[in-house]
Amino acid sequence: QEVLVWAGKAISPSSRRASNGRYHGAELPLIKTTSIVRQSPKDLAELLMDSEKVKVYNKMSMGRTDVKVFQTGIDTQGGAFGDGESKIVRNLTKPPMVNSIIEFVTCMHARKLCPSDTRILYANGNGSAEDEEESGAMEGYIVVSRAVTGGAWSANGDSNKHQHLGQGETLVRNEILLGVNILKAVPGEPSKTELTSVTHVYSPMIPQMLAKNAGVK
């Protein structure tokens, strides 16, 4: 399966100040990938949101738990927390040949793509106005992840009080500064998804000079 990969950094008028540390993670690379997955957009979105199935696609995961569920159902419309499903999860990962256990505490949200999403995607070069008029609203889903920090969610907070570590193991908090998955239906092929992902991650274990290669992998 072919995967297209791009790597870069956020560009803004204040990028020079950002690189001096004013904005958390501004010096870290953003990784974008696009590929075709042989699964429908809905099935893939539900898979990404199902904490019990995280090991299906992440072999390094030690498991993910739902810490706080705000709303369930990726097809929910007009719920108490808006459309879609939202929750805070805790994921533990054990990379090979590393004594540390990597911890992520993340807010995840998934919902159907809506017409305003379509206009934004086309405006960013993913098609043309003519395409939009012909196809209408884009069929698919969006899954967004962002780190949760501070208070009980801090690395030394309540979320870690019952964590039992093995001998020589340490728990290291990493942050998904931004994770976005756009799952678009492939026209005429309902069992396939065009998956575009953007990932921006902070890991204190990875030197900045190696962050790009690590992010791509």
Side-chain angles (χ1 to χ4, degrees):
Q1 179 177 320
E2 187 174 40
V3 179
L4 303 179
V5 181
W6 296 263
K9 292 184 179 180
I11 299 175
S12 71
S14 56
S15 59
R16 179 174 297 179
R17 287 180 295 170
S19 64
N20 290 332
R22 179 171 178 177
Y23 303 111
H24 182 50
E27 74 283 0
L28 300 171
L30 289 125
I31 309 299
K32 175 183 175 182
T33 62
T34 298
S35 62
I36 300 297
V37 180
R38 298 187 180 186
Q39 200 165 12
S40 71
K42 181 174 182 177
D43 288 345
L44 186 54
E46 289 180 332
L47 175 64
L48 293 175
M49 293 297 290
D50 191 338
S51 293
E52 294 184 358
K53 296 180 180 179
V54 68
K55 293 183 180 180
V56 172
Y57 56 88
N58 184 355
K59 302 303 181 183
M60 293 187 294
S61 176
M62 298 174 64
R64 192 179 80 193
T65 55
D66 295 345
V67 181
K68 175 70 174 179
V69 178
F70 299 105
Q71 185 168 284
T72 60
I74 62 174
D75 289 327
T76 299
Q77 297 287 322
F81 294 90
D83 296 344
E85 179 172 328
S86 299
K87 59 184 178 180
I88 295 175
V89 301
R90 182 170 183 258
N91 187 30
L92 298 180
T93 301
K94 185 68 169 65
M97 298 181 292
V98 175
N99 287 331
S100 299
I101 294 175
I102 309 302
E103 178 194 39
F104 293 93
V105 178
T106 310
C107 183
M108 298 184 67
H109 173 70
R111 62 165 172 78
K112 279 186 173 181
L113 289 173
C114 59
S116 60
D117 299 322
T118 304
R119 289 192 291 271
I120 292 171
L121 290 170
Y122 280 122
N124 283 282
N126 294 308
S128 64
E130 290 75 15
D131 294 331
E132 180 180 355
E133 291 177 359
E134 291 178 5
S135 61
M138 194 177 294
E139 292 291 330
Y141 292 81
I142 180 171
V143 180
V144 179
S145 302
R146 296 207 70 178
V148 178
T149 61
W153 308 108
S154 68
N156 298 316
D158 294 338
S159 64
N160 288 331
K161 285 185 177 179
H162 304 291
Q163 177 61 37
H164 300 287
L165 302 178
Q167 185 175 2
E169 291 181 333
T170 58
L171 192 67
V172 180
R173 174 68 65 86
N174 285 220
E175 299 176 18
I176 299 178
L177 303 177
L178 179 64
V180 180
N181 295 283
I182 304 293
L183 296 75
K184 296 191 298 183
V186 176
E189 299 190 63
S191 62
K192 291 185 179 181
T193 298
E194 179 187 316
L195 172 62
T196 299
S197 300
V198 175
T199 307
H200 192 202
V201 176
Y202 165 69
S203 175
M205 298 177 60
I206 301 176
Q208 184 177 341
M209 67 179 65
L210 301 178
K212 179 178 177 180
N213 289 337
V216 170
K217 292 180 180 180

